[in-house]
């Protein structure tokens, strides 16, 4: 895919994109806000501020609750290789593809959001997406991680990407 244009700086606690995960069913769409503070994650998904911009080089990483504040990542364990994760910033559609089933780790394993995330299977620089949520379902002793790579981009003016057409 072509490189994404440089986005404006994201503003703490403010939405800048919408995420769609077809595997989770029609109508599943959540705002992505800047930051991962408690009050931010109460409103939607949160972008780890230290990670790449949407569609940019590196690792765009997003956290979401599994069983509170609307349960955005309730079905996280259902993610499978090849599943689409589609985001839009209002001008561009970004389609990422999940690379393997969710990985379970401990909260202190911060390498999962590195530019080339440790244990992801990626072997060099790229344009990646990391999704994180708590595990078990009603607890927080562990984390579930899903990694994806950027598969395609297209202007919003071209209509919805194939992954969202059904």
């Amino acid at each position: 895919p072509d490189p994404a244009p440089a986005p404006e700086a994201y503003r703490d606690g403010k939405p800048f994109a919408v995420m769609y995960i077809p595997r989770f069913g029609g109508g599943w769409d959540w705002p992505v806000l800047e930051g991962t503070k408690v009050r931010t994650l109460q409103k939607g998904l949160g972008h780890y501020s230290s990670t790449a911009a949407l569609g940019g080089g590196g690792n765009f990483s997003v956290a979401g609750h599994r069983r509170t504040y609307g349960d955005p990542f309730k079905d996280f364990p259902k993610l499978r290789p090849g599943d689409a994760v589609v985001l839009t910033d209002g001008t561009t559609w970004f389609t990422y593809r999940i690379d393997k089933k969710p990985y379970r780790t401990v909260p202190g394993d911060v390498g999962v959001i590195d530019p080339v995330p440790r244990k992801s299977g990626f072997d060099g620089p790229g344009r990646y997406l990391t999704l994180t949520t708590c595990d078990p379902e009603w607890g927080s002793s562990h984390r579930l991680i899903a990694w994806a790579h950027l598969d395609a981009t297209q202007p919003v003016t071209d209509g919805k990407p194939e992954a969202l057409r059904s």
Side-chain angles (χ1 to χ4, degrees):
D2 292 329
E8 292 182 29
Y10 303 142
R11 293 180 26 226
D12 191 45
K14 301 296 182 190
F16 63 89
V18 177
M19 181 183 289
Y20 303 82
I21 301 180
R23 163 77 65 193
F24 295 167
W28 190 99
D29 60 278
W30 281 85
V32 180
L33 299 92
E34 180 60 15
T36 55
K37 294 175 184 168
V38 172
R39 70 177 183 271
T40 300
L41 293 176
Q42 291 172 348
K43 300 178 209 169
L45 306 173
H47 170 244
Y48 288 91
S49 301
S50 63
T51 68
L54 176 58
N59 185 11
F60 177 73
S61 300
V62 176
H65 283 291
R66 192 155 165 212
R67 275 303 196 178
T68 54
Y69 303 109
D71 309 334
F73 281 162
K74 174 184 61 144
D75 293 327
F76 201 95
K78 294 180 180 179
L79 290 171
R80 295 294 177 262
D83 283 352
V85 178
V86 181
L87 293 108
T88 184
D89 60 6
T91 60
T92 304
W93 290 103
F94 302 89
T95 301
Y96 290 85
R97 294 284 173 182
I98 298 289
D99 284 283
K100 55 185 171 181
K101 289 173 69 171
Y103 167 76
R104 189 171 192 249
T105 191
V106 295
D109 187 3
V110 297
V112 300
I113 64 169
D114 282 350
V116 179
R118 283 183 252 153
K119 301 179 186 163
S120 65
F122 301 135
D123 59 3
R127 291 190 282 172
Y128 307 123
L129 169 68
T130 298
L131 304 176
T132 70
T133 196
C134 291
D135 194 54
E137 196 168 1
W138 289 99
S140 60
S141 64
H142 288 79
R143 299 288 182 267
L144 286 179
I145 312 299
W147 289 294
H149 65 279
L150 186 62
D151 185 54
T153 62
Q154 72 181 57
V156 167
T157 55
D158 287 355
K160 288 184 178 181
E162 183 66 34
L164 295 181
R165 290 187 237 146
S166 55

